[in-house]
Amino acid sequence: MKRRLPRFLLPITVLIAMSIGLLTCGAHPAASYDQSPQYGEGRFHNVAKQAPLGFVRGVKVWWRFLFDKPADATPQVAIPVHTLTRQALLDAPDDSLWRLGHSTMLMKLDGHFWLTDPVFSERVSPFSFMGPKRFHAPPLSIEELPEITGVIISHDHYDHLDHDAVLALAPKVRHFVTALGVGDRLLAWGVPQEKITQLDWWQETRIEGLKIAATPAQHFSGRGLSDGNRTLWASWVIDTGRTRIFFSGDSGYFDGFAKIGERYGPFDLAMVETGAYDEQWPGVHMQPEQSLQAHLDVRGKVMMPIHNGTFDLALHAWTEPFERITALAAEQGVELTAPQMGERLDIRAPAPSTHWWRVGELDGVDANGRR
């Protein structure tokens, strides 16, 4: 059974989409990045040239997305969420990780707290009244978070860069580490320049003893119709000297993963995009088979599938990424961990997955998705 919107809404939807470009056309940074090998003719580029989707195929994709979505693209029951408190975070040991949703991870490393791609808004959209809506509430509020040493941002899409969250976080965050151009957005939003570090691919920085390296990804950027690829996208290496973590951000599969593995691997934990994929956009999002290969390429010890379980961003069932990667990992003997939202994960000794996304596992979950 599929959900369908009334056809009369199509012109309205198109007008709204056009308005996004008008609202954001002045948002891209005016700085020059001519020294970046990834930059040319006013935009950033992937190493491998991507075939454009094209107008006709693009219209078909949007038509399917708006009018032909499967009913199981969103959960039919509340999913489990472990409620977190500031004190619980402060009391937790080092090398702890909590998945707050989608690609938002909170990590405690050497006594410091770090966030990746913090998204706390109800919708990933320029509008509060429409766009992909959360399946679950965040395990804790921004106000409940302790002081954050750093925030690492992979790229500027709405499901990875949350304007309201950035502004709410800014007073309690000491450093924002971003790919080139994304930091200029933060600066335009009012984040102090001294808090922002922007990196090109293969550049590194050290903050409180933590080595952070921006590494390649194959994706795209933009928050409207007029600012495509004005900012860079990246994957990230996070290295305490004792614990090494890979965070993929968003990416299609490419040979850059093997290069990252050669240069920075092995990784104790590889958090790899596994979700919101479709055969129509293989260049910018990976199928689960490719996600597993990316994990092997970067030389990850334990794989954690991310970019799933929080927002409806594709045309597959919301549980499909979990099921497919679980089966593939079992076939190839890859250790997989998929913690529940808000569940503490020991980065150096991750617990195996409990298949919490399966309906039979959801008994005892209340209306808010909490046990």
Side-chain angles (χ1 to χ4, degrees), residues 221-252:
S221 67
R223 293 170 73 82
L225 299 179
S226 64
D227 63 348
N229 294 351
R230 298 285 188 175
T231 63
L232 187 59
W233 46 95
S235 58
W236 296 90
V237 171
I238 303 162
D239 188 357
T240 70
R242 181 186 68 258
T243 305
R244 196 173 301 157
I245 303 163
F246 177 69
F247 175 66
S248 74
D250 281 6
S251 182

Side-chain angles (χ1 to χ4, degrees), residues 37-268:
Q38 284 62 249
Y39 191 77
E41 299 180 349
R43 299 180 190 273
F44 289 95
H45 303 272
N46 289 302
V47 173
K49 191 173 182 179
Q50 303 300 303
L53 187 62
F55 177 77
V56 174
R57 282 205 304 160
V59 169
K60 289 181 179 179
V61 169
W62 277 106
W63 183 271
R64 289 175 61 210
F65 195 86
L66 292 170
F67 299 105
D68 205 28
K69 298 261 310 180
D72 57 2
T74 59
Q76 302 303 302
V77 294
I79 69 174
V81 176
H82 291 245
T83 303
L84 291 170
T85 65
R86 180 181 307 192
Q87 193 59 50
L89 300 176
L90 294 173
D91 291 342
D94 276 335
D95 294 321
S96 290
L97 180 149
W98 298 266
R99 188 177 182 200
L100 306 186
H102 198 54
S103 296
T104 304
M105 314 296 157
L106 175 65
M107 298 174 288
K108 188 175 184 180
L109 304 170
D110 291 340
H112 296 274
F113 288 98
W114 293 82
L115 273 170
T116 64
D117 290 356
V119 174
F120 287 79
S121 293
E122 185 177 17
R123 296 182 186 272
V124 283
S125 164
F127 305 104
S128 61
F129 58 89
M130 67 171 290
K133 187 177 180 180
R134 301 186 72 97
F135 300 161
H136 62 87
L140 80 170
S141 66
I142 291 175
E143 293 72 25
E144 188 70 8
L145 281 168
E147 295 298 305
I148 303 295
T149 297
V151 170
I152 299 170
I153 300 174
S154 65
H155 64 296
D156 67 5
H157 286 157
Y158 285 93
D159 58 322
H160 295 263
L161 181 60
D162 180 346
H163 172 271
D164 291 346
V166 165
L167 295 187
L169 281 164
K172 63 170 58 182
V173 172
R174 294 173 59 187
H175 304 275
F176 289 88
V177 184
T178 79
L180 285 181
V182 180
D184 290 288
R185 288 200 184 277
L186 305 190
L187 186 65
W189 293 349
V191 177
Q193 187 167 17
E194 61 270 18
K195 289 190 175 187
I196 300 171
T197 300
Q198 304 189 64
L199 300 179
D200 200 353
W201 292 348
W202 304 119
Q203 290 184 340
E204 300 176 357
T205 189
R206 283 189 177 271
I207 298 174
E208 300 291 348
L210 187 72
K211 180 169 76 174
I212 305 170
T215 44
Q218 183 172 283
H219 200 54
F220 66 108
S221 67
R223 293 170 73 82
L225 299 179
S226 64
D227 63 348
N229 294 351
R230 298 285 188 175
T231 63
L232 187 59
W233 46 95
S235 58
W236 296 90
V237 171
I238 303 162
D239 188 357
T240 70
R242 181 186 68 258
T243 305
R244 196 173 301 157
I245 303 163
F246 177 69
F247 175 66
S248 74
D250 281 6
S251 182
Y253 181 75
F254 72 130
D255 62 6
F257 290 119
K259 295 176 182 177
I260 294 167
E262 292 169 2
R263 187 160 178 172
Y264 289 108
F267 294 93
D268 297 285

Side-chain angles (χ1 to χ4, degrees), residues 249-292:
D250 281 6
S251 182
Y253 181 75
F254 72 130
D255 62 6
F257 290 119
K259 295 176 182 177
I260 294 167
E262 292 169 2
R263 187 160 178 172
Y264 289 108
F267 294 93
D268 297 285
L269 182 69
M271 297 183 284
V272 183
E273 177 217 76
T274 314
Y277 49 78
D278 190 88
E279 61 183 13
Q280 294 291 333
W281 50 80
V284 294
H285 286 293
M286 294 182 282
Q287 295 283 326
E289 292 82 359
Q290 296 172 315
S291 297
L292 187 68

